[in-house]
Amino acid sequence: MVKRSKKKLKKKSILYSRQVVVQLTVCVLTYQKFKCKWLLYKSTITINKTLYLYSSRYQNMNSNSSTAPDKDANFECFYTEVKEIEKRDSVLTPKQQIDRLLRPGSTYLNLNPFEVLQIDPDLPIDEIKKKYRRLSILVHPDKNQDDPDRAQQAFEAVNKAWKILENEVTRKKCMDVIEEAKGRTDIMLTEKRKKAKREGKDRIPEDDPDKYKHAIYVLTMKLFADMERKRRDLAERDQEERKRKREAEIEEEEMNKVQKEWQKNFEAWVDVVINGVNIS
């Protein structure tokens, strides 16, 4: 009994020591990588929760298995999942958000305000505002002194998205685009399913929820891009029309000036001929 208790105590001490090493290592790496106290605190909480959950699972695994290779494999699995959590949380870092907002094609990708703020279109306006504030703080130039120019561009993109969504009229237009994309996608997939059925296929790739969502996303981006092109074309036509009108006004003013000058000269000539007035 004494030997068994010593073995159990030894196993627990090894487990806890590994947990402490992993926790300290991840915290130090997180601090060195992001140089941000709040992120360090957040990562520590996340890792502590994960350590608590997996320590119990790890102990249960050890109770059912006595071989050292199994223990190492379980610990490696646990450590890998911790790193995945760290990688997932790192998406919210300022640099990565700036890179996301300024990635190639962002001119058209950022036309969708829901995509800019990374929110669901059905989210209430209060929640949208909270998301906007968090994101605007992350990419604010004052918080990114190492790259203020790109941070300013990202900050402007976030502000523009919020201005669109806080206005009921423009937000409704965006929602109409989303609904149109869903409707068109459903029609397109219905035809695609019919074609697949004629070919003897039971499913299409878009039957997968993720691929269906991606199809809607692609069409949504296309519709926003088309809407922006139409807006630009309309603005260009309006500008050309105003320019044409202004040129016509200038031409008319010149004609009036010439006519007045001619009338003045004509009246002077009449005075010379009729009244004999000498013009010096």
Side-chain angles (χ1 to χ4, degrees), residues 71-99:
K71 294 179 183 179
D72 293 337
N74 291 330
F75 182 79
E76 287 298 326
C77 179
F78 155 69
Y79 187 74
T80 301
E81 293 195 34
V82 170
K83 298 301 291 182
E84 287 296 325
I85 292 172
E86 182 187 4
K87 182 179 179 181
R88 181 196 65 197
D89 290 344
S90 68
V91 176
L92 299 177
T93 62
K95 183 181 182 304
Q96 288 181 323
Q97 287 289 7
I98 292 172
D99 291 341

PDB file of all heavy atoms in Angstrom, residues 71-99:
ATOM      1  N   LYS A  71       1.369   7.756 -21.799  1.00  0.00           N
ATOM      2  CA  LYS A  71       1.381   8.995 -21.024  1.00  0.00           C
ATOM      3  C   LYS A  71       1.965  10.134 -21.854  1.00  0.00           C
ATOM      4  O   LYS A  71       1.429  11.239 -21.894  1.00  0.00           O
ATOM      5  CB  LYS A  71       2.207   8.809 -19.747  1.00  0.00           C
ATOM      6  CG  LYS A  71       1.611   7.820 -18.758  1.00  0.00           C
ATOM      7  CD  LYS A  71       2.519   7.685 -17.558  1.00  0.00           C
ATOM      8  CE  LYS A  71       1.988   6.631 -16.581  1.00  0.00           C
ATOM      9  NZ  LYS A  71       2.877   6.460 -15.422  1.00  0.00           N
ATOM     10  N   ASP A  72       3.075   9.859 -22.511  1.00  0.00           N
ATOM     11  CA  ASP A  72       3.709  10.888 -23.333  1.00  0.00           C
ATOM     12  C   ASP A  72       2.801  11.319 -24.481  1.00  0.00           C
ATOM     13  O   ASP A  72       2.719  12.501 -24.813  1.00  0.00           O
ATOM     14  CB  ASP A  72       5.037  10.369 -23.889  1.00  0.00           C
ATOM     15  CG  ASP A  72       6.064  10.157 -22.779  1.00  0.00           C
ATOM     16  OD1 ASP A  72       5.901  10.793 -21.717  1.00  0.00           O
ATOM     17  OD2 ASP A  72       6.991   9.357 -22.985  1.00  0.00           O
ATOM     18  N   ALA A  73       2.114  10.360 -25.085  1.00  0.00           N
ATOM     19  CA  ALA A  73       1.217  10.688 -26.199  1.00  0.00           C
ATOM     20  C   ALA A  73       0.067  11.559 -25.729  1.00  0.00           C
ATOM     21  O   ALA A  73      -0.312  12.526 -26.392  1.00  0.00           O
ATOM     22  CB  ALA A  73       0.683   9.404 -26.831  1.00  0.00           C
ATOM     23  N   ASN A  74      -0.489  11.224 -24.558  1.00  0.00           N
ATOM     24  CA  ASN A  74      -1.588  12.025 -24.016  1.00  0.00           C
ATOM     25  C   ASN A  74      -1.131  13.442 -23.684  1.00  0.00           C
ATOM     26  O   ASN A  74      -1.841  14.414 -23.924  1.00  0.00           O
ATOM     27  CB  ASN A  74      -2.154  11.362 -22.758  1.00  0.00           C
ATOM     28  CG  ASN A  74      -2.887  10.079 -23.079  1.00  0.00           C
ATOM     29  OD1 ASN A  74      -3.447   9.943 -24.165  1.00  0.00           O
ATOM     30  ND2 ASN A  74      -2.875   9.138 -22.151  1.00  0.00           N
ATOM     31  N   PHE A  75       0.065  13.531 -23.118  1.00  0.00           N
ATOM     32  CA  PHE A  75       0.576  14.858 -22.777  1.00  0.00           C
ATOM     33  C   PHE A  75       0.844  15.680 -24.034  1.00  0.00           C
ATOM     34  O   PHE A  75       0.568  16.884 -24.074  1.00  0.00           O
ATOM     35  CB  PHE A  75       1.861  14.722 -21.959  1.00  0.00           C
ATOM     36  CG  PHE A  75       2.420  16.047 -21.533  1.00  0.00           C
ATOM     37  CD1 PHE A  75       1.881  16.734 -20.455  1.00  0.00           C
ATOM     38  CD2 PHE A  75       3.464  16.632 -22.229  1.00  0.00           C
ATOM     39  CE1 PHE A  75       2.378  17.963 -20.072  1.00  0.00           C
ATOM     40  CE2 PHE A  75       3.964  17.858 -21.854  1.00  0.00           C
ATOM     41  CZ  PHE A  75       3.428  18.525 -20.776  1.00  0.00           C
ATOM     42  N   GLU A  76       1.380  15.045 -25.074  1.00  0.00           N
ATOM     43  CA  GLU A  76       1.625  15.749 -26.331  1.00  0.00           C
ATOM     44  C   GLU A  76       0.319  16.245 -26.940  1.00  0.00           C
ATOM     45  O   GLU A  76       0.246  17.344 -27.485  1.00  0.00           O
ATOM     46  CB  GLU A  76       2.352  14.833 -27.319  1.00  0.00           C
ATOM     47  CG  GLU A  76       3.811  14.587 -26.987  1.00  0.00           C
ATOM     48  CD  GLU A  76       4.624  15.869 -27.011  1.00  0.00           C
ATOM     49  OE1 GLU A  76       4.315  16.750 -27.839  1.00  0.00           O
ATOM     50  OE2 GLU A  76       5.554  16.000 -26.200  1.00  0.00           O
ATOM     51  N   CYS A  77      -0.718  15.416 -26.841  1.00  0.00           N
ATOM     52  CA  CYS A  77      -2.036  15.813 -27.349  1.00  0.00           C
ATOM     53  C   CYS A  77      -2.543  17.031 -26.591  1.00  0.00           C
ATOM     54  O   CYS A  77      -3.052  17.986 -27.176  1.00  0.00           O
ATOM     55  CB  CYS A  77      -3.017  14.654 -27.221  1.00  0.00           C
ATOM     56  SG  CYS A  77      -4.688  15.047 -27.788  1.00  0.00           S
ATOM     57  N   PHE A  78      -2.373  16.978 -25.270  1.00  0.00           N
ATOM     58  CA  PHE A  78      -2.803  18.099 -24.430  1.00  0.00           C
ATOM     59  C   PHE A  78      -2.035  19.372 -24.778  1.00  0.00           C
ATOM     60  O   PHE A  78      -2.608  20.455 -24.941  1.00  0.00           O
ATOM     61  CB  PHE A  78      -2.590  17.726 -22.959  1.00  0.00           C
ATOM     62  CG  PHE A  78      -2.405  18.901 -22.044  1.00  0.00           C
ATOM     63  CD1 PHE A  78      -3.454  19.763 -21.782  1.00  0.00           C
ATOM     64  CD2 PHE A  78      -1.185  19.154 -21.457  1.00  0.00           C
ATOM     65  CE1 PHE A  78      -3.281  20.848 -20.956  1.00  0.00           C
ATOM     66  CE2 PHE A  78      -1.007  20.234 -20.627  1.00  0.00           C
ATOM     67  CZ  PHE A  78      -2.048  21.089 -20.370  1.00  0.00           C
ATOM     68  N   TYR A  79      -0.726  19.262 -24.923  1.00  0.00           N
ATOM     69  CA  TYR A  79       0.102  20.427 -25.218  1.00  0.00           C
ATOM     70  C   TYR A  79      -0.235  21.010 -26.591  1.00  0.00           C
ATOM     71  O   TYR A  79      -0.264  22.224 -26.776  1.00  0.00           O
ATOM     72  CB  TYR A  79       1.576  20.030 -25.165  1.00  0.00           C
ATOM     73  CG  TYR A  79       2.522  21.198 -25.302  1.00  0.00           C
ATOM     74  CD1 TYR A  79       2.706  22.093 -24.255  1.00  0.00           C
ATOM     75  CD2 TYR A  79       3.221  21.406 -26.484  1.00  0.00           C
ATOM     76  CE1 TYR A  79       3.563  23.170 -24.380  1.00  0.00           C
ATOM     77  CE2 TYR A  79       4.079  22.482 -26.618  1.00  0.00           C
ATOM     78  CZ  TYR A  79       4.247  23.357 -25.561  1.00  0.00           C
ATOM     79  OH  TYR A  79       5.087  24.430 -25.690  1.00  0.00           O
ATOM     80  N   THR A  80      -0.528  20.129 -27.552  1.00  0.00           N
ATOM     81  CA  THR A  80      -0.899  20.587 -28.895  1.00  0.00           C
ATOM     82  C   THR A  80      -2.190  21.398 -28.858  1.00  0.00           C
ATOM     83  O   THR A  80      -2.308  22.433 -29.512  1.00  0.00           O
ATOM     84  CB  THR A  80      -1.076  19.386 -29.837  1.00  0.00           C
ATOM     85  OG1 THR A  80       0.148  18.653 -29.887  1.00  0.00           O
ATOM     86  CG2 THR A  80      -1.447  19.845 -31.241  1.00  0.00           C
ATOM     87  N   GLU A  81      -3.160  20.929 -28.075  1.00  0.00           N
ATOM     88  CA  GLU A  81      -4.428  21.651 -27.986  1.00  0.00           C
ATOM     89  C   GLU A  81      -4.247  22.997 -27.297  1.00  0.00           C
ATOM     90  O   GLU A  81      -4.920  23.974 -27.638  1.00  0.00           O
ATOM     91  CB  GLU A  81      -5.462  20.799 -27.249  1.00  0.00           C
ATOM     92  CG  GLU A  81      -5.862  19.554 -28.027  1.00  0.00           C
ATOM     93  CD  GLU A  81      -7.121  18.923 -27.475  1.00  0.00           C
ATOM     94  OE1 GLU A  81      -8.001  19.656 -26.997  1.00  0.00           O
ATOM     95  OE2 GLU A  81      -7.220  17.691 -27.514  1.00  0.00           O
ATOM     96  N   VAL A  82      -3.340  23.070 -26.329  1.00  0.00           N
ATOM     97  CA  VAL A  82      -3.042  24.355 -25.690  1.00  0.00           C
ATOM     98  C   VAL A  82      -2.478  25.334 -26.709  1.00  0.00           C
ATOM     99  O   VAL A  82      -2.847  26.512 -26.753  1.00  0.00           O
ATOM    100  CB  VAL A  82      -2.052  24.162 -24.519  1.00  0.00           C
ATOM    101  CG1 VAL A  82      -1.545  25.512 -24.012  1.00  0.00           C
ATOM    102  CG2 VAL A  82      -2.722  23.409 -23.384  1.00  0.00           C
ATOM    103  N   LYS A  83      -1.582  24.850 -27.560  1.00  0.00           N
ATOM    104  CA  LYS A  83      -0.998  25.709 -28.591  1.00  0.00           C
ATOM    105  C   LYS A  83      -2.052  26.152 -29.602  1.00  0.00           C
ATOM    106  O   LYS A  83      -1.997  27.269 -30.113  1.00  0.00           O
ATOM    107  CB  LYS A  83       0.138  24.975 -29.311  1.00  0.00           C
ATOM    108  CG  LYS A  83       1.309  24.596 -28.422  1.00  0.00           C
ATOM    109  CD  LYS A  83       1.938  25.808 -27.758  1.00  0.00           C
ATOM    110  CE  LYS A  83       2.662  26.697 -28.746  1.00  0.00           C
ATOM    111  NZ  LYS A  83       3.321  27.848 -28.086  1.00  0.00           N
ATOM    112  N   GLU A  84      -3.018  25.282 -29.884  1.00  0.00           N
ATOM    113  CA  GLU A  84      -4.093  25.655 -30.801  1.00  0.00           C
ATOM    114  C   GLU A  84      -4.940  26.773 -30.213  1.00  0.00           C
ATOM    115  O   GLU A  84      -5.368  27.687 -30.921  1.00  0.00           O
ATOM    116  CB  GLU A  84      -4.974  24.434 -31.106  1.00  0.00           C
ATOM    117  CG  GLU A  84      -4.327  23.414 -32.018  1.00  0.00           C
ATOM    118  CD  GLU A  84      -4.050  23.984 -33.398  1.00  0.00           C
ATOM    119  OE1 GLU A  84      -4.851  24.804 -33.872  1.00  0.00           O
ATOM    120  OE2 GLU A  84      -3.021  23.624 -33.993  1.00  0.00           O
ATOM    121  N   ILE A  85      -5.180  26.703 -28.912  1.00  0.00           N
ATOM    122  CA  ILE A  85      -5.939  27.771 -28.242  1.00  0.00           C
ATOM    123  C   ILE A  85      -5.170  29.080 -28.311  1.00  0.00           C
ATOM    124  O   ILE A  85      -5.728  30.147 -28.570  1.00  0.00           O
ATOM    125  CB  ILE A  85      -6.231  27.386 -26.777  1.00  0.00           C
ATOM    126  CG1 ILE A  85      -7.216  26.219 -26.735  1.00  0.00           C
ATOM    127  CG2 ILE A  85      -6.786  28.569 -25.997  1.00  0.00           C
ATOM    128  CD1 ILE A  85      -7.432  25.647 -25.356  1.00  0.00           C
ATOM    129  N   GLU A  86      -3.873  29.004 -28.094  1.00  0.00           N
ATOM    130  CA  GLU A  86      -3.044  30.205 -28.175  1.00  0.00           C
ATOM    131  C   GLU A  86      -3.079  30.796 -29.583  1.00  0.00           C
ATOM    132  O   GLU A  86      -3.175  32.011 -29.763  1.00  0.00           O
ATOM    133  CB  GLU A  86      -1.609  29.862 -27.787  1.00  0.00           C
ATOM    134  CG  GLU A  86      -0.685  31.072 -27.802  1.00  0.00           C
ATOM    135  CD  GLU A  86       0.758  30.678 -27.590  1.00  0.00           C
ATOM    136  OE1 GLU A  86       1.035  29.476 -27.502  1.00  0.00           O
ATOM    137  OE2 GLU A  86       1.602  31.576 -27.537  1.00  0.00           O
ATOM    138  N   LYS A  87      -3.020  29.920 -30.581  1.00  0.00           N
ATOM    139  CA  LYS A  87      -3.056  30.378 -31.968  1.00  0.00           C
ATOM    140  C   LYS A  87      -4.395  31.020 -32.294  1.00  0.00           C
ATOM    141  O   LYS A  87      -4.471  32.034 -32.975  1.00  0.00           O
ATOM    142  CB  LYS A  87      -2.803  29.192 -32.898  1.00  0.00           C
ATOM    143  CG  LYS A  87      -2.759  29.561 -34.370  1.00  0.00           C
ATOM    144  CD  LYS A  87      -2.476  28.335 -35.215  1.00  0.00           C
ATOM    145  CE  LYS A  87      -2.457  28.700 -36.696  1.00  0.00           C
ATOM    146  NZ  LYS A  87      -2.209  27.505 -37.538  1.00  0.00           N
ATOM    147  N   ARG A  88      -5.488  30.434 -31.783  1.00  0.00           N
ATOM    148  CA  ARG A  88      -6.823  30.982 -32.033  1.00  0.00           C
ATOM    149  C   ARG A  88      -6.975  32.365 -31.414  1.00  0.00           C
ATOM    150  O   ARG A  88      -7.495  33.286 -32.026  1.00  0.00           O
ATOM    151  CB  ARG A  88      -7.877  30.039 -31.448  1.00  0.00           C
ATOM    152  CG  ARG A  88      -9.315  30.495 -31.663  1.00  0.00           C
ATOM    153  CD  ARG A  88     -10.242  29.737 -30.742  1.00  0.00           C
ATOM    154  NE  ARG A  88      -9.950  30.061 -29.354  1.00  0.00           N
ATOM    155  CZ  ARG A  88     -10.355  29.334 -28.324  1.00  0.00           C
ATOM    156  NH1 ARG A  88     -11.034  28.229 -28.519  1.00  0.00           N
ATOM    157  NH2 ARG A  88     -10.058  29.700 -27.086  1.00  0.00           N
ATOM    158  N   ASP A  89      -6.502  32.523 -30.184  1.00  0.00           N
ATOM    159  CA  ASP A  89      -6.622  33.814 -29.509  1.00  0.00           C
ATOM    160  C   ASP A  89      -5.762  34.886 -30.163  1.00  0.00           C
ATOM    161  O   ASP A  89      -6.070  36.073 -30.082  1.00  0.00           O
ATOM    162  CB  ASP A  89      -6.223  33.673 -28.033  1.00  0.00           C
ATOM    163  CG  ASP A  89      -7.254  32.880 -27.249  1.00  0.00           C
ATOM    164  OD1 ASP A  89      -8.380  32.709 -27.738  1.00  0.00           O
ATOM    165  OD2 ASP A  89      -6.915  32.428 -26.148  1.00  0.00           O
ATOM    166  N   SER A  90      -4.671  34.475 -30.812  1.00  0.00           N
ATOM    167  CA  SER A  90      -3.771  35.457 -31.413  1.00  0.00           C
ATOM    168  C   SER A  90      -4.388  36.161 -32.610  1.00  0.00           C
ATOM    169  O   SER A  90      -3.871  37.158 -33.085  1.00  0.00           O
ATOM    170  CB  SER A  90      -2.470  34.774 -31.845  1.00  0.00           C
ATOM    171  OG  SER A  90      -2.709  33.892 -32.933  1.00  0.00           O
ATOM    172  N   VAL A  91      -5.511  35.658 -33.123  1.00  0.00           N
ATOM    173  CA  VAL A  91      -6.179  36.300 -34.258  1.00  0.00           C
ATOM    174  C   VAL A  91      -6.646  37.698 -33.886  1.00  0.00           C
ATOM    175  O   VAL A  91      -6.787  38.568 -34.730  1.00  0.00           O
ATOM    176  CB  VAL A  91      -7.370  35.432 -34.722  1.00  0.00           C
ATOM    177  CG1 VAL A  91      -8.146  36.119 -35.823  1.00  0.00           C
ATOM    178  CG2 VAL A  91      -6.869  34.085 -35.210  1.00  0.00           C
ATOM    179  N   LEU A  92      -6.863  37.939 -32.612  1.00  0.00           N
ATOM    180  CA  LEU A  92      -7.384  39.219 -32.168  1.00  0.00           C
ATOM    181  C   LEU A  92      -6.287  40.242 -31.892  1.00  0.00           C
ATOM    182  O   LEU A  92      -6.564  41.285 -31.325  1.00  0.00           O
ATOM    183  CB  LEU A  92      -8.227  39.019 -30.898  1.00  0.00           C
ATOM    184  CG  LEU A  92      -9.448  38.114 -31.054  1.00  0.00           C
ATOM    185  CD1 LEU A  92     -10.144  37.932 -29.718  1.00  0.00           C
ATOM    186  CD2 LEU A  92     -10.417  38.675 -32.073  1.00  0.00           C
ATOM    187  N   THR A  93      -5.058  39.959 -32.268  1.00  0.00           N
ATOM    188  CA  THR A  93      -3.983  40.911 -32.018  1.00  0.00           C
ATOM    189  C   THR A  93      -4.082  42.087 -32.985  1.00  0.00           C
ATOM    190  O   THR A  93      -4.579  41.940 -34.104  1.00  0.00           O
ATOM    191  CB  THR A  93      -2.610  40.242 -32.186  1.00  0.00           C
ATOM    192  OG1 THR A  93      -2.482  39.785 -33.538  1.00  0.00           O
ATOM    193  CG2 THR A  93      -2.454  39.082 -31.229  1.00  0.00           C
ATOM    194  N   PRO A  94      -3.611  43.259 -32.578  1.00  0.00           N
ATOM    195  CA  PRO A  94      -3.698  44.444 -33.440  1.00  0.00           C
ATOM    196  C   PRO A  94      -3.043  44.248 -34.805  1.00  0.00           C
ATOM    197  O   PRO A  94      -3.610  44.627 -35.826  1.00  0.00           O
ATOM    198  CB  PRO A  94      -2.973  45.514 -32.615  1.00  0.00           C
ATOM    199  CG  PRO A  94      -3.141  45.076 -31.204  1.00  0.00           C
ATOM    200  CD  PRO A  94      -3.102  43.582 -31.235  1.00  0.00           C
ATOM    201  N   LYS A  95      -1.852  43.676 -34.824  1.00  0.00           N
ATOM    202  CA  LYS A  95      -1.135  43.524 -36.088  1.00  0.00           C
ATOM    203  C   LYS A  95      -1.913  42.660 -37.070  1.00  0.00           C
ATOM    204  O   LYS A  95      -2.027  42.990 -38.258  1.00  0.00           O
ATOM    205  CB  LYS A  95       0.248  42.911 -35.846  1.00  0.00           C
ATOM    206  CG  LYS A  95       1.081  42.788 -37.118  1.00  0.00           C
ATOM    207  CD  LYS A  95       2.430  42.155 -36.837  1.00  0.00           C
ATOM    208  CE  LYS A  95       3.276  42.091 -38.113  1.00  0.00           C
ATOM    209  NZ  LYS A  95       2.600  41.381 -39.209  1.00  0.00           N
ATOM    210  N   GLN A  96      -2.460  41.556 -36.586  1.00  0.00           N
ATOM    211  CA  GLN A  96      -3.183  40.661 -37.484  1.00  0.00           C
ATOM    212  C   GLN A  96      -4.496  41.278 -37.957  1.00  0.00           C
ATOM    213  O   GLN A  96      -4.929  41.032 -39.077  1.00  0.00           O
ATOM    214  CB  GLN A  96      -3.429  39.319 -36.791  1.00  0.00           C
ATOM    215  CG  GLN A  96      -2.154  38.505 -36.654  1.00  0.00           C
ATOM    216  CD  GLN A  96      -2.395  37.167 -35.993  1.00  0.00           C
ATOM    217  OE1 GLN A  96      -3.200  37.058 -35.081  1.00  0.00           O
ATOM    218  NE2 GLN A  96      -1.697  36.146 -36.440  1.00  0.00           N
ATOM    219  N   GLN A  97      -5.125  42.078 -37.113  1.00  0.00           N
ATOM    220  CA  GLN A  97      -6.337  42.763 -37.554  1.00  0.00           C
ATOM    221  C   GLN A  97      -6.010  43.807 -38.621  1.00  0.00           C
ATOM    222  O   GLN A  97      -6.751  43.968 -39.592  1.00  0.00           O
ATOM    223  CB  GLN A  97      -7.033  43.436 -36.361  1.00  0.00           C
ATOM    224  CG  GLN A  97      -7.729  42.475 -35.415  1.00  0.00           C
ATOM    225  CD  GLN A  97      -8.975  41.854 -36.030  1.00  0.00           C
ATOM    226  OE1 GLN A  97      -9.267  42.039 -37.202  1.00  0.00           O
ATOM    227  NE2 GLN A  97      -9.716  41.107 -35.238  1.00  0.00           N
ATOM    228  N   ILE A  98      -4.907  44.510 -38.449  1.00  0.00           N
ATOM    229  CA  ILE A  98      -4.492  45.494 -39.453  1.00  0.00           C
ATOM    230  C   ILE A  98      -4.164  44.792 -40.769  1.00  0.00           C
ATOM    231  O   ILE A  98      -4.560  45.247 -41.849  1.00  0.00           O
ATOM    232  CB  ILE A  98      -3.282  46.304 -38.948  1.00  0.00           C
ATOM    233  CG1 ILE A  98      -3.702  47.203 -37.777  1.00  0.00           C
ATOM    234  CG2 ILE A  98      -2.688  47.154 -40.067  1.00  0.00           C
ATOM    235  CD1 ILE A  98      -2.550  47.900 -37.090  1.00  0.00           C
ATOM    236  N   ASP A  99      -3.449  43.675 -40.677  1.00  0.00           N
ATOM    237  CA  ASP A  99      -3.130  42.907 -41.886  1.00  0.00           C
ATOM    238  C   ASP A  99      -4.399  42.409 -42.568  1.00  0.00           C
ATOM    239  O   ASP A  99      -4.489  42.396 -43.798  1.00  0.00           O
ATOM    240  CB  ASP A  99      -2.233  41.718 -41.534  1.00  0.00           C
ATOM    241  CG  ASP A  99      -0.837  42.156 -41.117  1.00  0.00           C
ATOM    242  OD1 ASP A  99      -0.459  43.300 -41.439  1.00  0.00           O
ATOM    243  OD2 ASP A  99      -0.135  41.363 -40.458  1.00  0.00           O
TER     244      ASP A  99
END
